[in-house]
Amino acid sequence: MELSNLKYAKGSRGHKRKTYGRGFGSGIGKTGGKGTKGQKQRKSGHVRLGFEGGQTPIYRKVPKVGFNNFNFRKQYNVVTIKQLADLKVTQIDSKILVDKHIIPNNKLPIKVIGNDKLTNALEVHAHVFTKGAQKTIEEAQGKINIIK
């Protein structure tokens, strides 16, 4: 270690923040570093993104285009094979899934997904099974019951 290698600790000599609006003694001046007059000089003067000074903004002038599937999507209570295996139950239906807090409610149809390894045979009652989930359950000598 030599005198030429000495350095200050990181953060020990950072610049202090400017103190705005505390008179001429602060060295900032009468406008507090905000320039002169106008909306942006005020305390809460900055406006949100896309604001055009009260004029109707461009995003409201341009018509909506396209289709959104949000209102017509199919919703499911999704359950994974791993969650079913952790239950330590051989027959699984919606009542058991609600009781064990795996699905929040019984209103939506149940969809079983995943392709993890199963060690024990399960009898699963659900509305929809993915191909991987169906194959996994059947390989473990399990049974699939599709609810209509």
Side-chain angles (χ1 to χ4, degrees):
M1 179 153 81
E2 297 174 0
L3 289 176
S4 61
N5 295 343
L6 293 178
K7 292 183 180 177
Y8 289 103
K10 188 174 182 181
S12 67
R13 294 177 57 85
H15 294 289
K16 292 181 180 174
R17 266 196 164 155
K18 289 183 179 179
T19 307
Y20 291 107
R22 295 293 179 272
F24 291 103
S26 65
I28 308 294
K30 67 181 177 67
T31 54
K34 297 261 191 169
T36 59
K37 300 174 189 171
Q39 185 174 16
K40 290 184 190 169
Q41 168 215 335
R42 310 288 177 210
K43 180 179 77 172
S44 306
H46 290 283
V47 294
R48 62 176 164 71
L49 193 66
F51 184 69
E52 297 181 23
Q55 169 181 302
T56 305
I58 189 83
Y59 68 85
R60 289 190 56 202
K61 289 179 180 178
V62 177
K64 292 183 191 175
V65 183
F67 175 74
N68 187 334
N69 205 30
F70 183 80
N71 297 324
F72 310 105
R73 73 195 187 283
K74 283 199 173 187
Q75 289 183 302
Y76 293 103
N77 282 322
V78 178
V79 181
T80 63
I81 294 283
K82 188 170 183 346
Q83 289 174 319
L84 298 179
D86 292 343
L87 285 177
K88 309 279 193 279
V89 181
T90 55
Q91 288 199 342
I92 298 167
D93 61 350
S94 60
K95 187 176 186 300
I96 290 171
L97 294 174
V98 172
D99 290 343
K100 300 283 187 176
H101 302 291
I102 290 178
I103 60 174
N105 59 35
N106 227 347
K107 294 174 185 165
L108 296 175
I110 299 166
K111 182 173 188 174
V112 180
I113 64 169
N115 52 7
D116 296 339
K117 294 288 182 199
L118 270 179
T119 54
N120 54 343
L122 299 177
E123 186 176 338
V124 185
H125 299 267
H127 297 87
V128 181
F129 293 87
T130 60
K131 289 178 184 175
Q134 190 171 354
K135 184 180 173 191
T136 303
I137 293 170
E138 288 172 349
E139 281 178 355
Q141 271 62 53
K143 195 173 178 186
I144 289 174
N145 295 320
I146 296 174
I147 302 169
K148 298 287 183 209

